[in-house]
Amino acid sequence: MTPQEGQHPETLYERAEHAARFIHARAGEEVRAALVLGSGLGAFADELEDARAIPYSEIPGFARPTVEGHAGRLVVGRVGGATVAAMQGRFHFYEGYTLEEVTFPIRTLGLLGAKSLVLTNAAGGLNNSYEQGALILISDHLNLMGTNPLLGRNDARFGPRFPDMTEVYDREYQEAAIAEARAMGLELKRGIYAALSGPSYETPAEIRMLRLLGADAVGMSTVPEAIVARQMGLRVLGLSCITNMAAGVLDKPINHEEVIETGERVRETFAELLRRVIPKLQ
Ligand code: HPA
């Protein structure tokens, strides 16, 4: 079905449905899994088979890029026989988007029929057993953004008012990711991901605080998307690339270039892990 010209859906649910219908019309097939590619990790979308790319700017209801915001695109294609919709670039809270805007694509992809969501990000490492460039499996999170994407009126068509968060990151998916990593000769360690708003990196004192709170990795994304996905009943896999050790862990400053460079350095390993894991997500 093609979206009607001049139609202005009122509710968040209707806007997400409208966007989902638009994507379905453009992509022409059902999507089984959704994938969000974090900073420096976007290249994976370029290798999808039979890929169809839709700039976010063309999708009704998707936020418009802020001045500094990097425009992104949704790439629908296949990996190992599974059809995925990959977000090459995401909307961040620190860019000035509301959490409703940040998570709108997740709601859309959920209504498009995705049953699984793979969230990836660049993160700073707190756990001393991590090394720069390591890939980490998110086992749970700390939402320290000071807000929640589900604040406000709840539309029960998305899910419950008070969704359970005891298993945000699906255990079977974690096992599948560990098994695939092992087959690649890679040890995939688990970790607790703490999400802060950013955009400034943390101070060493904040990193000491986060350690006391139980965090292993820190970043500025993923958690709002995971919360919305769980409310909708999607099963979530979270992967972090430790692009740098967190502030104060090593005696050196953190810079964004290093974050991007590390992401690019692990690109092939990361892509191989995704190629293997995505077809295993039921
Ligand atoms: N802190 C927060 N976010 C990040 C970091 C960090 O050290 N590295 C990559 N994203």
Side-chain angles (χ1 to χ4, degrees):
M1 202 190 332
T2 331
Q4 301 281 300
E5 288 284 326
Q7 189 181 312
H8 296 290
E10 289 299 318
T11 66
L12 177 61
Y13 191 89
E14 285 163 347
R15 283 185 277 128
E17 257 190 335
H18 186 61
R21 277 199 295 269
F22 174 88
I23 295 165
H24 188 263
R26 286 281 290 265
E29 66 181 314
E30 297 300 322
V31 163
R32 160 113 226 129
L35 169 63
V36 181
L37 296 165
S39 310
L41 306 171
F44 181 73
D46 298 328
E47 61 171 74
L48 294 178
E49 298 152 38
D50 192 17
R52 282 133 290 160
I54 313 171
Y56 295 156
S57 60
E58 293 178 14
I59 305 176
F62 273 42
R64 297 288 157 254
T66 57
V67 181
E68 300 103 81
H70 16 243
R73 48 187 214 151
L74 185 73
V75 185
V76 180
R78 267 184 291 278
V79 49
T83 300
V84 299
M87 290 183 64
Q88 210 170 28
R90 55 154 58 89
F91 299 100
H92 295 94
F93 187 50
Y94 64 72
E95 291 175 278
Y97 297 109
T98 64
L99 286 191
E100 184 178 300
E101 291 173 316
V102 167
T103 58
F104 186 81
I106 305 301
R107 295 193 186 276
T108 299
L109 296 172
L111 294 185
L112 191 62
K115 301 285 178 271
S116 320
L117 174 66
V118 181
L119 293 169
T120 72
N121 60 48
L126 281 78
N127 188 316
N128 284 325
S129 79
Y130 295 173
E131 282 169 17
Q132 193 175 0
L135 299 180
I136 301 299
L137 186 60
I138 303 177
S139 57
D140 203 349
H141 71 225
L142 295 165
N143 177 14
L144 300 174
M145 285 190 156
T147 182
N148 187 296
L150 305 181
L151 278 177
R153 185 192 296 262
N154 186 53
D155 190 324
R157 289 174 290 181
F158 282 121
R161 166 80 290 186
F162 302 108
D164 175 49
M165 292 286 144
T166 46
E167 192 184 319
V168 177
Y169 304 91
D170 193 275
R171 282 201 201 121
E172 278 177 32
Y173 284 9
Q174 290 185 48
E175 295 306 327
I178 288 172
E180 291 306 321
R182 192 174 294 136
M184 290 167 61
L186 199 73
E187 187 199 359
L188 198 57
K189 293 178 177 162
R190 285 192 169 89
I192 309 284
Y193 175 88
L196 277 66
S197 73
S200 51
Y201 290 116
E202 303 70 34
T203 63
E206 287 165 343
I207 293 301
R208 287 194 295 275
M209 172 189 75
L210 292 175
R211 268 225 175 91
L212 290 174
L213 297 180
D216 297 299
V218 59
M220 308 174 190
S221 68
T222 302
V223 165
E225 294 139 317
I227 292 172
V228 163
R230 286 306 300 144
Q231 188 205 25
M232 294 180 75
L234 276 77
R235 297 174 72 181
V236 178
L237 176 71
L239 293 169
S240 288
C241 170
I242 302 299
T243 52
N244 57 280
M245 291 314 285
V249 175
L250 305 176
D251 191 19
K252 65 188 190 82
I254 297 164
N255 66 74
H256 182 63
E257 287 66 39
E258 182 181 28
V259 168
I260 300 299
E261 276 164 28
T262 310
E264 279 163 9
R265 184 157 61 76
V266 302
R267 176 162 142 174
E268 199 26 57
T269 313
F270 180 73
E272 175 68 9
L273 183 60
L274 289 178
R275 271 195 295 271
R276 285 168 168 271
V277 173
I278 291 171
K280 297 275 149 59
L281 306 180
Q282 292 305 312

